[in-house]
Amino acid sequence: MRNRCESAICESHSEATIDAIWHLIGDGQRYATHGVSDIDFEILHETDRPFVRIVPHDIRIARAAFVVALQFLIENGHDRLSPCEVVSDDDLRRTGLLCRATRDANGGVRCIDYILPILAQRRIVAIEVAACRTAWLTHAFLFARSGGLR
């Protein structure tokens, strides 16, 4: 278990990363979910707001949920060699820890299926759909975080 200092550092890195890409998550950009069913969605976003809206599903995703997703992956060491299994479900008893964490940060609304494709387009995470869906921090993100990439 990590101590509070390590957790605060992870949160700081997560915040800084989301700050850096928040204006790039542009209004009208199209994405697709990766999972049991692939769903196309579009973002409605005013960069000065602390949330994005997903259409046509009319779901709001808090900026804080993006930070929590990234913080979860960092704190749990989810890189290519140790990917995170993404289990997303409306039933909380069948959902995974990453989904729960982002849902908690998003007022109880399920959102990980939208967050991951957005972060993947920015090359922060990678997603693989095989026997199960997994996600991990990319080499590019980890390299940038260590100060090697500017």
Side-chain angles (χ1 to χ4, degrees):
M1 178 161 222
R2 297 190 183 261
N3 64 38
R4 273 192 270 200
C5 181
E6 289 173 323
S7 184
I9 291 169
C10 287
E11 183 176 358
S12 174
H13 286 303
S14 300
E15 285 279 350
T17 299
I18 299 305
D19 278 347
I21 67 163
W22 194 246
H23 70 284
L24 300 172
I25 303 173
D27 198 30
Q29 286 186 7
R30 298 202 54 78
Y31 300 88
T33 62
H34 304 284
V36 176
S37 59
D38 290 338
I39 301 169
D40 289 337
F41 65 95
E42 185 175 327
I43 294 180
L44 298 180
H45 183 212
E46 297 173 31
T47 57
D48 61 335
R49 300 279 179 137
F51 62 86
V52 295
R53 278 195 27 221
I54 304 298
V55 293
H57 309 101
D58 199 29
I59 295 171
R60 281 175 48 161
I61 302 177
R63 183 188 172 285
F66 286 86
V67 172
V68 165
L70 191 52
Q71 184 176 357
F72 181 93
L73 294 171
I74 293 169
E75 286 183 350
N76 291 288
H78 291 298
D79 59 14
R80 180 69 174 125
L81 299 176
S82 180
C84 175
E85 185 175 352
V86 181
V87 181
S88 176
D89 196 288
D90 287 331
D91 185 342
L92 282 173
R93 294 171 296 184
R94 292 191 308 243
T95 196
L97 295 176
L98 176 59
C99 182
R100 283 185 197 175
T102 55
R103 185 182 292 196
D104 289 348
N106 198 45
V109 176
R110 187 172 120 193
C111 57
I112 195 63
D113 299 325
Y114 303 103
I115 291 173
L116 289 175
I118 294 167
L119 293 178
Q121 188 178 60
R122 296 279 132 224
R123 296 179 358 134
I124 295 168
V125 302
I127 305 167
E128 184 173 275
V129 181
C132 64
R133 184 169 52 140
T134 57
W136 61 91
L137 298 166
T138 64
H139 176 72
F141 171 75
L142 293 170
F143 189 60
R145 195 171 151 248
S146 70
L149 185 67
R150 294 279 172 219

